[in-house]
């Protein structure tokens, strides 16, 4: 039987299906249209920027870091460009296999692997990290031919910091190192992260750290068009980087070299400054370290050698090492007595070899001296005189006089890391100790302060500043290491800010008493043998300070003590005595008597600065061993000596540069006898004639502030 179709029903169902399909298609087109409107209208700006970003790349241009010069224009820190082989960990599947394969193409040592591992541990996975630096042209060519084998590995041109003189003056110059997380946070806090794009390194110590913002410069940017594979096609726009400024130090690097050589293998510190301005001429801490070790990222063995050494080469002893001043404290104690009126210079004290207080005997260092006045107490270094003086003054009076001189205070020098030291009084002890019996100040503790022992602990910087203040008749200058900066673009010179000196109000007649006594030390006292035949009159005081306590009933015997437990040798001095141009403080750790080990160094510094004399090899070796008094043999003419491994041209070019950073009317250390200045071992700019002319007009404005005391 044939089924009769319902045509009308079929048509109705067909129309329904067509209608549903049409509605679905219409909705789809409507959604597509809405999406197109959203993408092309609503999100146009955002997507356009993304498209442009995919087509172009913003590449930071790292600026040249500024140079660091000494006071004569000698380059102490510069830059050079070199190729590095770098790996981006996030783009490498098997790191060890990749490095092994690379080692077959480019020489990769075990120390390179260790340094890379340390960098990788301290960095993000998408950072580009150097596995090898300073590639040769041959190594670059070999890798370029096989680059396709190493995804995530590339060769880049990087700027590297160079310290031409290595260990010389390293604690002053400092070094740069890889930016750590804490430094990143500080950069972000001051909103400067944009200026550090593409930069991996930052100043870590010394001038490199303290003047980071001036030395770093301004990062530039370059916009380039890239292919789909990410390769640069063409440059679209660029904003060049601005190099960092040049920083000029007050340091005379040749004098610095002489002093470091005289220390030899011994530990210690010296600060030499101009008492008329506070400019530091030498800032020595021994032993030193090579800052070039940190440029590529220091390897583990070198780091352990530096940090685990008993000699602590990374410690800036001039800035952070604290020592009891020993007998070098006596001139300041005598000045406190005169200024307070507690004791006159003519007062006689009978030195019997010991002094008793509260049933406790405080001994002297030698035979009884008999009756001594203030002059003799300094010349002969009488302990008994200053035991009794400390008792008369009391701890609070001692503290209140020494504090303005800078003892136990931060001097405010223009590099970071200075420590305060300890200038004790009753309040200090209450703050330092927890138990009530420890917080109490006992009278016997005051006695040891008189000879620079007890709780006293000062830096050589503080001792040098105090010596300079005494030499300058009570006018105290803030010590400084920076003469000024030179703008990398305009070449304009900007002198470093100079604070007005502070007049401590010492009476001239009291200063003269102490000055005559200090001259007596070099003429007839403990350093007379060292300064015999000097062509000038200097003033000084030797000191020997205990590194460990020795009982009053025990006799000090260096042979029975470990080397690190022996007494420190100290010396303070200034010269010429009537019109001082240089003042210094020096300590040679665990060396013994100041007259044998510290004073000979000071003598040769004065000879160099004032007379242009340089010790011969025999004399230099004797000083290093503590076997020298006055100079041995004929000294050399400093101008004829080459000590920095480069030729020694005439001084004419360097002579005037330090003075250009001085406000007129402010005295400065003489540059006429400092000797030959080595050629700058870099192609960086030294002060140009045009820049010098620009600077000449700027000095007058700062003259009044720099030369008038408060």
């Amino acid at each position: 039987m044939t089924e009769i179709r319902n045509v009308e029903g079929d048509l109705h169902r067909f129309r329904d299906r067509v209608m549903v399909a049409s509605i679905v298609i219409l909705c789809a087109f409507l959604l597509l249209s809405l999406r197109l409107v959203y993408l092309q209208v609503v999100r146009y700006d955002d997507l356009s920027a993304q498209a442009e970003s995919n087509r172009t790349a913003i590449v930071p241009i790292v600026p040249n870091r500024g140079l660091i010069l000494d006071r004569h224009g000698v380059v102490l820190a510069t830059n050079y460009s070199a190729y590095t082989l770098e790996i981006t960990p996030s783009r490498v599947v098997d790191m060890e296999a990749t490095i092994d394969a690379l080692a077959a193409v480019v020489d990769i040592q075990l120390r390179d692997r260790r340094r890379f591992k340390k960098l990788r541990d301290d960095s993000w996975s998408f950072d580009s990290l150097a596995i090898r630096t300073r590639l040769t042209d041959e190594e670059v060519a070999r890798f370029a031919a096989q680059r396709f084998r190493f995804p995530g590995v590339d060769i880049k041109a990087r700027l590297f910091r160079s310290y031409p003189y290595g260990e010389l003056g390293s604690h002053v110059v400092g070094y740069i190192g890889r930016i750590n997380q804490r430094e990143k946070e500080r950069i972000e806090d001051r909103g400067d992260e944009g200026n550090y794009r593409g930069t991996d390194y930052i100043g870590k110590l010394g001038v490199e750290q303290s003047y980071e913002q001036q030395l770093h410069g301004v990062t530039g940017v370059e916009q380039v068009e890239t292919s789909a594979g990410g390769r640069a096609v063409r440059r679209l726009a660029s904003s060049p980087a601005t190099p960092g400024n040049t920083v000029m130090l007050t340091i005379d690097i040749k004098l610095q070299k002489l002093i470091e050589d005289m220390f030899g293998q011994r530990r210690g510190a010296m600060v030499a400054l101009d008492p008329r301005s506070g400019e530091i001429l030498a800032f020595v801490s021994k032993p030193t370290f090579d800052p070039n070790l940190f440029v590529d990222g220091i390897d583990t063995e070198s780091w352990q050698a530096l940090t685990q050494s008993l000699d602590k080469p990374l410690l800036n002893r001039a800035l952070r090492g604290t020592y009891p001043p020993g007998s070098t404290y006596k001139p300041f104690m005598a000045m406190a007595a005169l200024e307070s009126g507690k004791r006159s210079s003519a007062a006689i004290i009978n030195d019997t070899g010991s002094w008793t207080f509260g049933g406790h005997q405080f001994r002297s260092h030698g035979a009884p001296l008999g009756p001594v006045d203030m002059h003799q107490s300094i010349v002969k270094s009488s302990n008994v005189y200053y035991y009794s003086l400390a008792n008369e003054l009391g701890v609070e009076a001692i503290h209140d006089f020494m504090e303005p001189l800078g003892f136990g205070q931060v001097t405010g020098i223009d590099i970071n890391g200075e420590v305060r030291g300890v200038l004790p009084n009753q309040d200090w002890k209450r703050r330092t100790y927890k138990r009530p019996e420890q917080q109490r100040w006992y009278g016997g503790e005051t006695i040891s302060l008189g000879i620079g022992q007890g709780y006293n602990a000062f830096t050589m910087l503080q001792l040098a500043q105090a010596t300079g203040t005494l030499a300058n008749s009570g006018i105290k200058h803030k010590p400084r290491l920076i003469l000024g900066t030179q703008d990398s673009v305009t070449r304009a010179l900007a002198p470093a800010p100079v604070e007005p000196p502070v007049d401590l109000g010492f009476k001239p007649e009291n200063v003269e008493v102490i000055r005559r006594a200090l001259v007596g030390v070099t003429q007839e006292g403990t350093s007379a043998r060292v300064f015999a035949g000097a062509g000038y009159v200097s003033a000084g005081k030797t000191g020997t300070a205990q590194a460990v306590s020795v009982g009053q009933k025990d006799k000090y015997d260096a042979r029975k003590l470990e080397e690190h437990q022996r007494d420190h040798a100290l010396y303070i001095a200034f010269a010429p005595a009537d019109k001082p141009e240089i003042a210094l403080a020096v300590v040679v750790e665990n060396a013994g008597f100041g007259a044998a080990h510290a004073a000979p160094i000071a003598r040769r510094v004065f000879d160099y600065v004032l007379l242009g004399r340089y010790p011969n090899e025999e004399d230099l070796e004797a000083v290093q061993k503590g076997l020298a008094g006055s100079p041995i043999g004929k000294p050399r003419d400093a101008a004829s000596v080459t000590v920095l491994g480069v030729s020694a041209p005439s001084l004419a070019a360097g002579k005037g540069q330090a003075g250009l950073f001085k406000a007129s009317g402010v005295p400065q250390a003489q540059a006429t006898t400092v000797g030959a200045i080595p050629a700058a071992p870099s192609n960086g700019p030294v002060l140009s004639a045009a820049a010098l002319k620009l600077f000449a007009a700027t000095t007058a404005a700062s003259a009044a502030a720099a030369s008038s005391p408060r």
Side-chain angles (χ1 to χ4, degrees), residues 314-333:
L314 292 178
L315 172 64
N316 187 339
R317 286 168 162 82
L319 190 71
R320 300 182 58 81
T322 57
Y323 307 86
S327 292
T328 63
Y329 205 48
K330 292 173 181 177
F332 304 102
M333 286 291 296

Side-chain angles (χ1 to χ4, degrees), residues 47-59 222-237:
L47 296 176
S48 177
Q50 289 185 33
E52 185 66 16
S53 176
N54 291 333
R55 186 181 72 89
T56 63
I58 302 297
V59 180
E222 186 176 72
Q223 186 181 31
V224 296
E225 185 176 6
T226 59
S227 66
R231 297 180 63 85
V233 177
R234 62 191 178 101
R235 185 174 63 184
L236 300 176

